[in-house]
Amino acid sequence: MDSQKQYYESINLPDVLSIRNVSELYSKFNDAFHSRDTIIVSIPEGAEADLSFVQLIESSRHQAKSKGKTFKLSSPANGSVLKVLERAGFIESFDQEDANFWLHKEVTL
């Protein structure tokens, strides 16, 4: 087994990220949390997402933080995911940690 794989899991998501497959995604994330310290999620460009997906990602972030694990996106949210974040009012209430997670915006001085 590759020694890097012992420490992180890369999860490639499907093109549809909705209530119809949220329980399948939850299972993938949960399995990864049990076996890895870092989970990196790749959202396909052009993926269609709904609010349930954003809620799943948010709850997974909180779960990771409470267990001392790292959960991150491989690239900034864009397309449908970004639109859901905007419509649901997430972006306007982002703190620096949220902006870093979702948009990959670092603190600049």
Side-chain angles (χ1 to χ4, degrees), residues 30-67:
N30 200 35
D31 290 347
F33 279 127
H34 288 305
S35 59
R36 304 289 187 255
D37 291 329
T38 300
I39 295 94
I40 302 169
V41 177
S42 297
I43 301 171
E45 194 160 323
E48 287 298 318
D50 68 11
L51 187 56
S52 67
F53 172 71
V54 171
Q55 291 170 324
L56 173 65
I57 294 294
E58 282 297 303
S59 83
S60 297
R61 283 179 63 199
H62 291 291
Q63 179 183 3
K65 190 173 184 175
S66 73
K67 294 184 177 204

